[in-house]
């Protein structure tokens, strides 16, 4: 596959704006760098089983549902995946991603909303099933994408769990997207390897609103897009589901480091960069629990990427969506590490920073 095709494919998933460039760089032997601002692109009934899970000597109730098993499980990838990229220089970079077990704390029972909406176009049917969203404007929605003639997706990306579709090819569509009103959400779609086939894709869309305050004021739609014709005669088309009004939001918990706030939920972590400067680069995020354990969300130096995506909002908020649910009630602190720049006259100095929110 040519590099420009790879870039188009990865851009279609609406991840952070320079994801495609970073993917191409890693293929050439370059390490991954800081994510940029996100940008808009054209492009069942729950059965609950209550049990007790002992962690660190503390017993608490959990739920096991079809939604959490799909959205916060391993998508058929096992406990973790490892992949290696290298280029002509011979340098190899190894990355890992760990997944959750699909079991949620009892506190999340009742937070899942049935959507049950569909949209059709260019031979495809997109069925939206269930969704949960938090006060950070982040969450996950389960879906099925089907086409009796086959779903045309990029197979190498699916090996690491990513769903990337070809929107400009004949009988193809772009990767499904999501809107809050007229505003695009930043999204990443995954494929469930165990339950998908050549004609039916079961997956999860992870999302974050571009602006949570504006996003909360609007109903949600999901979209598919495609192109008909070739060359100068090519015309873009888009079809959307009916609107869905969000009925409930999962609470966030605020932690602080002096005057700097952090909002954390089971689905996301949100920080602010006002006290760091716009050029600050974060490279490690760690959640610490009461029992002494840690959940590493991201560690660039170690090649650990236990997240579906992250990006910086124009408002100065940084967002992370982890691959494992966060047990907010057991969180003691969150540590953010990285580098930032300070200027003295015409001299700019790079310095490391560590911020502990508790």
């Amino acid at each position: 596959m040519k590099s420009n095709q790879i870039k188009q494919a990865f851009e279609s998933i609406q991840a952070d704006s320079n994801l495609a460039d970073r993917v191409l760089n890693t293929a050439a032997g370059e390490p991954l760098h800081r994510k940029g601002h996100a940008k808009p692109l054209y492009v069942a009934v729950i059965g609950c089983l209550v049990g007790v899970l002992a962690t660190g000597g503390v017993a608490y109730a959990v739920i096991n549902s079809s939604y959490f098993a799909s959205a916060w499980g391993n998508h058929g990838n096992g406990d973790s995946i490892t992949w290696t990229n290298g280029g002509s220089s011979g340098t190899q970079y190894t990355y890992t991603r760990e997944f959750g077990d699909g079991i949620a704390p009892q506190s999340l029972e009742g937070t899942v909303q049935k959507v049950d909406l569909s949209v059709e176009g260019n031979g495809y049917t997109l069925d939206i099933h269930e969704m949960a969203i938090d006060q950070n404007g982040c969450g996950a929605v389960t879906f099925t994408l089907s086409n009796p003639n086959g779903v045309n997706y990029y197979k190498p990306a699916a090996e690491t769990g990513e769903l990337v579709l070809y929107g400009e090819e004949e009988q193809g569509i772009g990767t499904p997207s999501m809107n809050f009103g007229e505003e695009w959400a930043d999204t990443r779609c995954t494929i469930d390897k165990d339950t998908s086939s050549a004609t039916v894709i079961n997956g999860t869309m992870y999302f974050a609103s571009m602006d949570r305050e504006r996003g909360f004021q609007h109903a949600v739609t999901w979209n598919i897009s495609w192109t008909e014709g070739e060359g100068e005669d090519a015309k873009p088309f888009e079809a959307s589901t009916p609107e869905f009004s969000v009925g409930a939001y999962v609470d966030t918990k605020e932690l602080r480091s002096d005057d700097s706030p952090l909002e954390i939920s089971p689905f996301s972590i949100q920080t602010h960069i006002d006290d760091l400067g716009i050029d600050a680069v974060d490279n490690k995020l760690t959640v610490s629990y009461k029992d002494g354990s840690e959940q590493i969300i991201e560690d660039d130096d170690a090649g650990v990427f236990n997240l579906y995506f992250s990006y910086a909002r124009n408002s100065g908020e940084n967002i992370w969506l982890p691959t494992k649910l966060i047990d907010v009630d057991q969180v003691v602190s969150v540590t953010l590490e990285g580098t930032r720049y300070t200027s003295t006259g015409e001299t700019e100095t790079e310095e490391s920073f560590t911020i502990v929110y508790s």
Side-chain angles (χ1 to χ4, degrees), residues 50-69:
V50 179
V52 175
L53 176 67
T55 301
V58 178
Y60 58 96
V62 300
I63 60 175
N64 189 350
S65 75
S66 60
Y67 169 81
F68 287 108

Side-chain angles (χ1 to χ4, degrees), residues 307-329:
L307 68 163
Y308 289 112
F309 70 86
S310 67
Y311 81 101
R313 286 173 170 151
N314 291 332
S315 59
E317 298 167 337
N318 284 324
I319 294 288
W320 290 262
L321 269 75
T323 53
K324 294 182 178 182
L325 288 171
I326 299 170
D327 188 358
V328 176
D329 292 339

Side-chain angles (χ1 to χ4, degrees), residues 23-350:
V23 170
L24 293 175
N25 287 339
T26 55
E30 297 293 333
L32 290 176
H33 299 293
R34 166 66 180 157
K35 291 71 59 188
H37 287 72
K39 63 180 181 181
L41 297 167
Y42 299 100
V43 275
V45 176
I46 302 174
C48 294
L49 175 65
V50 179
V52 175
L53 176 67
T55 301
V58 178
Y60 58 96
V62 300
I63 60 175
N64 189 350
S65 75
S66 60
Y67 169 81
F68 287 108
S70 297
W72 301 99
N74 60 31
H75 312 292
N77 291 298
D79 293 337
S80 65
I81 58 173
T82 300
W83 67 100
T84 301
N85 287 323
S88 57
S89 65
T91 303
Q92 297 287 317
Y93 299 95
T94 300
Y95 308 96
T96 61
R97 173 173 290 157
E98 296 180 348
F99 296 97
D101 56 13
I103 299 176
Q106 185 68 38
S107 59
L108 290 180
E109 186 175 17
T111 63
V112 180
Q113 302 170 67
K114 295 181 183 179
V115 180
D116 292 339
L117 293 175
S118 299
V119 60
E120 297 181 357
N122 207 29
Y124 286 80
T125 299
L126 175 65
D127 295 306
I128 304 297
H129 302 308
E130 298 172 314
M131 178 181 76
I133 180 173
D134 65 20
Q135 289 287 352
N136 286 334
C138 304
V141 58
T142 55
F143 67 87
T144 297
L145 180 67
S146 59
N147 185 335
N149 296 317
V151 178
N152 188 11
Y153 63 94
Y154 184 42
K155 303 304 188 296
E159 289 303 310
T160 58
E162 309 250 358
L163 179 63
V164 180
L165 302 179
Y166 301 102
E168 296 182 357
E169 293 192 2
E170 186 177 356
Q171 296 182 341
I173 63 168
T175 306
S177 61
M178 179 177 179
N179 277 55
F180 287 84
E182 297 297 320
E183 192 168 76
W184 295 86
D186 195 36
T187 61
R188 174 71 56 83
C189 290
T190 63
I191 179 173
D192 190 323
K193 297 179 181 179
D194 291 340
T195 64
S196 296
S197 68
T199 58
V200 178
I201 301 297
N202 292 307
T204 303
M205 176 187 292
Y206 300 90
F207 63 85
S209 63
M210 291 291 186
D211 184 314
R212 60 173 174 169
E213 300 302 326
R214 289 205 301 266
F216 288 169
Q217 299 174 23
H218 298 282
V220 180
T221 58
W222 289 268
N223 325 288
I224 55 176
S225 59
W226 66 94
T227 300
E228 294 184 8
E230 297 181 358
E232 295 181 355
D233 296 328
K235 294 182 180 180
F237 290 85
E238 183 176 88
S240 301
T241 67
E243 292 185 340
F244 176 77
S245 296
V246 178
Y249 296 90
V250 175
D251 290 338
T252 60
K253 177 181 179 180
E254 183 178 273
L255 304 177
R256 303 194 69 86
S257 175
D258 297 325
D259 293 331
S260 181
L262 175 149
E263 288 100 356
I264 186 171
S265 87
F267 311 143
S268 68
I269 294 176
Q270 176 175 273
T271 65
H272 302 259
I273 62 173
D274 297 344
D275 57 341
L276 299 178
I278 192 64
D279 293 325
V281 178
D282 57 81
N283 53 40
K284 188 174 183 180
L285 184 67
T286 306
V287 178
S288 298
Y289 290 104
K290 293 178 181 179
D291 64 0
S293 63
E294 292 183 340
Q295 180 177 346
I296 299 177
I297 308 297
E298 180 178 9
D299 186 344
D300 291 356
D301 293 338
V304 175
F305 292 94
N306 297 327
L307 68 163
Y308 289 112
F309 70 86
S310 67
Y311 81 101
R313 286 173 170 151
N314 291 332
S315 59
E317 298 167 337
N318 284 324
I319 294 288
W320 290 262
L321 269 75
T323 53
K324 294 182 178 182
L325 288 171
I326 299 170
D327 188 358
V328 176
D329 292 339
Q330 300 298 313
V331 171
V332 174
S333 64
V334 176
T335 303
L336 178 65
E337 302 174 50
T339 58
R340 59 185 168 190
Y341 298 88
T342 58
S343 298
T344 304
E346 297 182 356
T347 303
E348 188 175 64
T349 304
E350 180 181 299

